Amino acid sequence: MCDTCGCSTEGGAVLRKPGQSDYHVHVNEHEHAHGEHHSHEHGDHHHEGSGRKVVLEQDVLQKNNLLAERNRGYFEARKIFALNFLSSPGSGKTSLLEKIIPALQQCFPVAVIEGDQQTTNDADRIQALGVPVIQINTGSGCHLDALMVNRAMKELEMQNNSLLCIENVGNLVCPALFDLGEALKVVIISVTEGDDKPLKYPTMFHEADICILNKIDLLPYVEFDAAKCRENAMRVNHHLEWFELSAKTGEGLAALREWLEGKMAQH
Amino acid sequence: MHEMSIALSIVEAVEERARQEGAGWISEIELLVGKLAGIEPESLKFCFSAAAAGTLAARALLAIEEPEGVGECGECGMIFPVNFYYAECPACRSLRVKIISGEEFLIQSMTIEEEEE
């Protein structure tokens, strides 16, 4: 059974590097022993069938959250500014990174962690830019978690004072719940989707810090109301930093770049 | 479908603690899952039975309490029930609403049994 989705028996995430087909590291998520039997000798005492209540009051995601905090501490110590990019598949996360990284690299080093169920296609595209990149293949998993990022960041050659872009698995639902240790969450929507997406998937927009509307070059050809979309996003989260751009034409990219440079300077 | 990895986290957490307590098996687990926590209790129960198979929690009953969402208006301070993140203050129509309850996601307690059956 998969450790994430329950879809198959081969669920563990795997780290890969572009161009190194024999490089392959397994991320073991859950190490609990199934079917373990232990014998337990009892004395003469009996509890008359009634159990004992043990109070835990523990966050269900505690393990992930604690590990995410460790990642966050590592990033802080090395002054690495980590962004978690989230969206549905096909809204242009990788294209945006391809477009913006060459400009950002003029100012500071950039590294990328790519998350996908399969293939190193995205990591191959990023590697072509000449930045350190590692691919996490989640197998049947629907999101990245703090452990996968923890393993990946140890394999990635990151410089101090750099920007780390973590591209999550394309999915607007599950990744919202899993803290990776990032400084900020960036959610991307494109104009070929619906302008009510923030209302349909509120958890993600509620968790995000930045919202990017991509593919605005296609606005004349689609029924998408950018102002309405922004209003919907703000209804879910009035703290959202909002950007509209086209990763294809480069329109609107300067504003995001300047904002990121400002954040890096403060960081 | 993140409920599966969440079900596994729950099993892992309770099993670890149950072993420390010297339990034979776990008969009940009490969870607090806020209505705004982003978790479907039915889906979680479904996944739990698969996740718990072969563990000390295999026969555990999952008792889920679901606290309602509560928002506080950032403008007028009114406190009111919310069902969604995009709540609007019923008094002043402000959208500056802070969620103060309903996002809980805790393992409250478990009941452990001494006897192995």
Side-chain angles (χ1 to χ4, degrees):
Chain A
M1 176 182 58
C2 157
D3 47 44
T4 306
C5 278
C7 314
S8 81
T9 50
E10 307 289 330
V14 176
L15 304 182
R16 295 182 208 276
K17 285 182 179 171
Q20 298 180 31
S21 53
D22 34 355
Y23 177 89
H24 184 108
V25 177
H26 278 280
V27 180
N28 294 317
E29 274 198 280
H30 294 280
E31 293 163 342
H32 61 169
H34 282 284
E36 204 177 277
H37 288 286
H38 69 160
S39 65
H40 193 97
E41 295 301 324
H42 282 288
D44 291 332
H45 61 277
H46 273 283
H47 295 271
E48 298 179 350
S50 65
R52 179 159 61 91
K53 194 161 175 168
V54 179
V55 175
L56 284 94
E57 288 182 348
Q58 170 180 333
D59 194 310
V60 174
L61 295 169
Q62 179 175 272
K63 202 173 164 192
N64 185 74
N65 293 345
L66 289 174
L67 197 51
E69 283 306 325
R70 273 176 57 190
N71 294 352
R72 191 165 279 121
Y74 175 84
F75 295 144
E76 276 178 18
R78 298 193 53 194
K79 293 198 181 304
I80 293 167
F81 188 58
L83 296 176
N84 183 3
F85 286 81
L86 305 140
S87 79
S88 19
S91 59
K93 292 185 292 300
T94 315
S95 301
L96 175 63
L97 292 178
E98 278 182 311
K99 196 78 178 185
I100 205 165
I101 284 173
L104 293 173
Q105 267 189 301
Q106 314 286 324
C107 308
F108 38 79
V110 182
V112 178
I113 295 175
E114 282 288 341
D116 278 301
Q117 287 198 319
Q118 295 297 344
T119 82
T120 58
N121 292 358
D122 284 359
D124 295 342
R125 286 167 63 184
I126 298 298
Q127 199 190 31
L129 305 174
V131 296
V133 58
I134 193 154
Q135 177 82 48
I136 302 173
N137 282 145
T138 59
S140 47
C142 51
H143 58 266
L144 295 182
D145 64 30
L147 179 68
M148 298 178 201
V149 169
N150 186 273
R151 295 289 151 82
M153 72 195 195
K154 288 174 183 162
E155 301 287 328
L156 192 63
E157 298 106 39
M158 281 187 288
Q159 297 180 42
N160 291 345
N161 298 297
S162 64
L163 174 72
L164 173 65
C165 299
I166 304 168
E167 186 183 329
N168 217 309
V169 178
N171 176 348
L172 265 185
V173 184
C174 315
L177 287 179
F178 294 84
D179 185 7
L180 306 179
E182 72 277 345
L184 298 172
K185 285 188 169 77
V186 184
V187 63
I188 301 170
I189 359 171
S190 60
V191 305
T192 50
E193 302 167 49
D195 51 29
D196 57 351
K197 211 146 217 188
L199 302 182
K200 287 181 169 171
Y201 300 92
T203 309
M204 182 63 83
F205 289 84
H206 184 72
E207 294 298 318
D209 303 283
I210 304 164
C211 184
I212 295 172
L213 179 63
N214 191 18
K215 307 189 189 177
I216 57 167
D217 54 305
L218 297 178
L219 274 172
Y221 313 105
V222 292
E223 282 184 34
F224 185 96
D225 185 338
K228 185 84 189 154
C229 184
R230 180 185 177 150
E231 190 191 313
N232 287 336
M234 293 298 164
R235 285 176 83 88
V236 177
N237 179 358
H238 59 272
H239 296 294
L240 271 179
E241 202 72 44
W242 180 266
F243 295 94
E244 295 180 14
L245 54 84
S246 164
K248 184 168 181 168
T249 66
E251 185 186 353
L253 217 60
L256 176 64
R257 200 186 67 224
E258 280 162 27
W259 190 85
L260 282 174
E261 286 169 5
K263 280 281 167 192
M264 281 294 291
Q266 289 167 23
H267 172 61
Chain B
M1 184 61 173
H2 47 274
E3 278 81 1
M4 192 62 205
S5 56
I6 281 162
L8 281 160
S9 307
I10 294 170
V11 171
E12 199 174 350
V14 294
E15 211 185 22
E16 187 183 335
R17 182 64 185 273
R19 285 190 194 282
Q20 287 167 10
E21 301 280 339
W25 59 288
I26 302 165
S27 55
E28 186 172 6
I29 300 166
E30 285 183 353
L31 299 179
L32 198 61
V33 183
K35 292 228 166 127
L36 301 174
I39 303 294
E40 274 308 315
E42 282 312 309
S43 173
L44 183 59
K45 281 182 182 169
F46 178 77
C47 292
F48 179 81
S49 55
T55 74
L56 294 182
R59 282 171 297 141
L61 185 79
L62 213 52
I64 303 181
E65 190 190 331
E66 297 175 69
E68 298 289 336
V70 179
E72 182 180 6
C73 178
E75 302 285 349
C76 73
M78 182 166 178
I79 290 176
F80 54 94
V82 293
N83 298 320
F84 307 103
Y85 282 118
Y86 43 102
E88 184 177 276
C89 174
C92 72
R93 318 313 296 175
S94 169
L95 296 172
R96 283 189 51 218
V97 174
K98 187 179 159 202
I99 306 294
I100 57 172
S101 171
E103 295 182 297
E104 302 85 352
F105 192 24
L106 296 173
I107 306 171
Q108 289 277 69
S109 68
M110 64 177 170
T111 307
I112 54 174
E113 310 288 338
E114 301 278 324
E115 303 297 327
E116 237 176 306
E117 287 181 10

